[in-house]
Amino acid sequence: MRIATGCIGHETNTFSPVATGIDNFKQGTYCVGAEIVAEFAATSTITGGFLERAADLGIEAVPLLWTFATPSGTVQQAAYEMLKADFLARLGEAGRLDGVFLDLHGAMVTQAHEDAEGDLLRAVREQVGDLPIVVTLDLHANITAAMAEYADVIIGFDTYPHVDCYERGLEGAQIIADMVTGEIRPTMAYRQLPLLTSPPSQCSLRPPMSEAIARLHELEARPGVVTATLSMGFPFADIHDAGCSVLVTTNGDQALADECADEFAQYMWDQREAFRAELVSVQEAIEFARRSEGQPVVLAEGSDNPGGGGPCDGTHILRALIAADFQGAVVAIIADPESVAQAIAAGVGEEVELEVGGKSIALHGEPVALCGYVQAVTDGNFVNKGPMARGKRAQMGRTAVVRVGAVEIILTEQRLQPFDAEVLRSVGIEPVDRKLIALKSAVHFRADYTPIAQAILEVDTPGVHSPNLSSYDYKKVRAVYPLSGEVVAWR
Ligand SMILES: [Zn+2]
């Protein structure tokens, strides 16, 4: 059995003015052919899980192209067309195939396609005809009717932080193998809800999301159900189809799929008020951390999360910490290649004058002028050790730790969501030794930090990834709760 596999992936924040070009994909993860196996084998990722189960089942995985750019603004059409043409050419040259397994995100927007995955899946379907196509999608996929039409089975994540990628990869390999052997003949029901939610409320470590996922698993255990997906959507893509959707796949029983999907969609609709984020101001958060007896207190700055398209150089929290002369704080991270170069030129153990951050998007604050001590310089490479993407290599580019008073700033060349505590340890900072850790992450950090954090506060700062959805001027999304008062029923 031969199954082609690959990914063209991006989570597109249409509120970010920073366009995403081909260089962003090449600087992100970009592998072709056997490089894909070298990159993902033995990692806790979708493709890592797929490759492992495929090997166990005697499937020959045919790796094509796998690329993912760090989330940012709308993808340039030329970049998407180049990647798509390359992917389709490799698919065409792959020889006889029995199926296609795609590890996609589900919230990619290009200049010409609001629904880029729908476009890609249509093209793959046209090329492979009736062959099984199984797709995994992120929990933040804005799933469209086109995606559901052109894929045979869509499998979404059950967790946020996304710690079940490996398991979903195993599941995907098993389902496509069972389709090829004729063991199952999947049929899928898709329901879109008029519901937009923000990342903090989608966290599956706590209610209401933990309860929704438990219910989804009960539904999945029913006889005849193959797999079920609750996608919460990505609210920072202002497209018609942004938001929550439900998919239920059964073994050939469309009536059962429809019934289960309707039931779950109604449940989610009934829960809509519970899916609202609770945020605190920067000042409240700093005061809380100062008074706290234990440590560390984590301040999550979702608005500048580069994992969702934030510029990762916002200065709102840094400025407040320096003004407060906070004792024992770390800011992770600020992507500012210019300041990194200046700190490296000054050298470890030296003082340096910098204008830190605030160079990308005005909403995220002005640069902070400071004189700091260069505490450390590293190559910015580390391996994730926490529950998310464990074993996967990560790069921050050249990295410098600059200290101002008792506030340490991790300055990097590249944008990276600091969800793994190795970001700190790799530059010589032990997280539990600090009073306050400010992270540019919305939810993913919780996988690694929940066991060590004394408290976690979600901070309300302006930005392109703010959990405060009322701060955006939506133009393209259909009528959705809570933005529109017209929505009174889920269909
Ligand atoms: Zn996600």
Side-chain angles (χ1 to χ4, degrees), residues 11 105 138 140 162 444:
E11 184 179 68
H105 183 283
D138 194 274
H140 297 107
H162 304 326
H444 282 326

Side-chain angles (χ1 to χ4, degrees), residues 7-302:
C7 164
I8 300 173
H10 191 242
E11 184 179 68
T12 305
N13 185 318
T14 65
F15 294 106
S16 168
V18 182
T20 304
I22 195 72
D23 289 351
N24 300 89
F25 285 92
K26 297 210 163 165
Q27 284 160 12
T29 304
Y30 185 92
C31 331
V32 295
E35 291 168 2
I36 299 173
V37 179
E39 179 75 16
F40 289 98
T43 60
S44 293
T45 57
I46 294 279
T47 296
F50 171 78
L51 291 172
E52 187 173 316
R53 179 61 57 84
D56 290 348
L57 296 172
I59 295 171
E60 181 189 346
V62 184
L64 305 175
L65 163 70
W66 201 108
T67 185
F68 192 95
T70 295
S72 44
T74 301
V75 177
Q76 289 170 352
Q77 196 60 25
Y80 171 68
E81 297 296 348
M82 190 185 298
L83 294 170
K84 178 179 154 188
D86 186 21
F87 187 89
L88 294 175
R90 289 173 189 277
L91 182 63
E93 291 158 7
R96 189 196 57 78
L97 292 170
D98 298 292
V100 180
F101 174 81
L102 296 171
D103 168 6
L104 302 180
H105 183 283
M108 177 161 60
V109 181
T110 71
Q111 288 168 316
H113 301 296
E114 280 196 359
D115 171 19
E117 283 86 354
D119 177 72
L120 180 66
L121 285 168
R122 184 187 307 110
V124 172
R125 175 58 78 198
E126 279 170 8
Q127 194 160 323
V128 304
D130 292 339
L131 286 188
I133 300 177
V134 173
V135 180
T136 55
L137 293 178
D138 194 274
L139 183 122
H140 297 107
N142 291 318
I143 302 179
T144 64
M147 293 184 212
E149 180 183 345
Y150 297 116
D152 291 295
V153 178
I154 291 175
I155 304 166
F157 300 173
D158 295 347
T159 59
Y160 183 31
H162 304 326
V163 292
D164 67 328
C165 303
Y166 170 77
E167 284 79 8
R168 300 288 75 76
L170 298 176
E171 185 183 4
Q174 188 66 54
I175 286 176
I176 201 163
D178 290 346
M179 288 176 72
V180 174
T181 58
E183 203 115 325
I184 58 168
R185 296 183 192 287
T187 184
M188 195 159 56
Y190 162 72
R191 298 291 183 271
Q192 184 180 60
L193 283 95
L195 175 62
L196 203 61
T197 63
S198 72
S201 71
Q202 303 163 348
C203 176
S204 59
L205 298 172
R206 52 185 183 170
M209 194 63 184
S210 56
E211 289 166 2
I213 294 297
R215 213 178 157 99
L216 188 76
H217 287 159
E218 282 171 29
L219 192 150
E220 253 176 343
R222 292 183 194 171
V225 177
V226 175
T227 188
T229 289
L230 164 62
S231 190
M232 295 308 291
F234 186 61
F236 311 111
D238 182 15
I239 60 168
H240 180 269
D241 290 303
C244 183
S245 57
V246 171
L247 286 164
V248 178
T249 302
T250 64
N251 186 9
D253 189 341
Q254 188 64 47
L256 176 65
D258 286 332
E259 182 191 311
C260 291
D262 284 338
E263 176 192 315
F264 200 79
Q266 184 63 51
Y267 166 78
M268 284 303 293
W269 181 247
D270 293 342
Q271 298 300 309
R272 63 193 179 281
E273 278 177 46
F275 282 89
R276 283 177 172 270
E278 273 179 42
L279 307 173
V280 299
S281 72
V282 177
Q283 284 313 325
E284 285 171 310
I286 288 176
E287 272 316 303
F288 178 93
R290 213 201 294 267
R291 289 194 314 270
S292 168
E293 294 195 353
Q295 64 184 42
V297 172
V298 172
L299 273 57
E301 190 181 26

Side-chain angles (χ1 to χ4, degrees), residues 345-362:
V348 174
E350 302 296 328
E351 300 279 326
V352 65
E353 287 195 16
L354 301 172
E355 298 266 331
V356 169
K359 292 166 187 169
S360 306
I361 302 175

